[in-house]
Amino acid sequence: DAGALALSFFHDGVALTLGLDLTALEVTPRSETVLNYSGPAFELMFSVVCTQGIKAEIESKLSKLGESISVSGIEPNFNFHIHTDQPNLVIESCEADMEITNIRISELGN
């Protein structure tokens, strides 16, 4: 990453200023890794404005519709994340309780 490269150049500059010897960094080529993803097909994220009680109800629904569930935020603004094969079902089941916004669906896997 660019920040790490800049930091490396900075350290090299300090070392050269102090008269220290620099040795070349040895980099071992990475072997190709084959990833076989076998989890849910979609990642779904959305936002809601609700009470702590409604948040708990949504979490309960999500636990039956997918995995890798996480919730962030503080009352009344919450962001939900779930991996699921049925993003439309998740959206429909949550919209029954309140309006959800900022819906983002990404395809997972290869």
Side-chain angles (χ1 to χ4, degrees), residues 52-109:
Q52 198 71 24
I54 297 291
K55 173 192 160 269
E57 289 176 26
I58 293 171
E59 286 179 290
S60 178
K61 286 180 185 183
L62 294 182
S63 69
K64 298 173 182 100
L65 298 171
E67 58 187 47
S68 298
I69 300 163
S70 65
V71 183
S72 63
I74 57 173
E75 190 175 0
N77 301 305
F78 298 102
N79 296 302
F80 290 84
H81 168 273
I82 181 173
H83 291 179
T84 181
D85 286 324
Q86 303 169 318
N88 291 333
L89 181 60
V90 173
I91 292 167
E92 289 169 9
S93 69
C94 292
E95 282 183 327
D97 294 321
M98 90 286 307
E99 179 182 3
I100 64 175
T101 61
N102 202 19
I103 299 169
R104 298 166 315 277
I105 301 174
S106 301
E107 194 170 345
L108 296 172

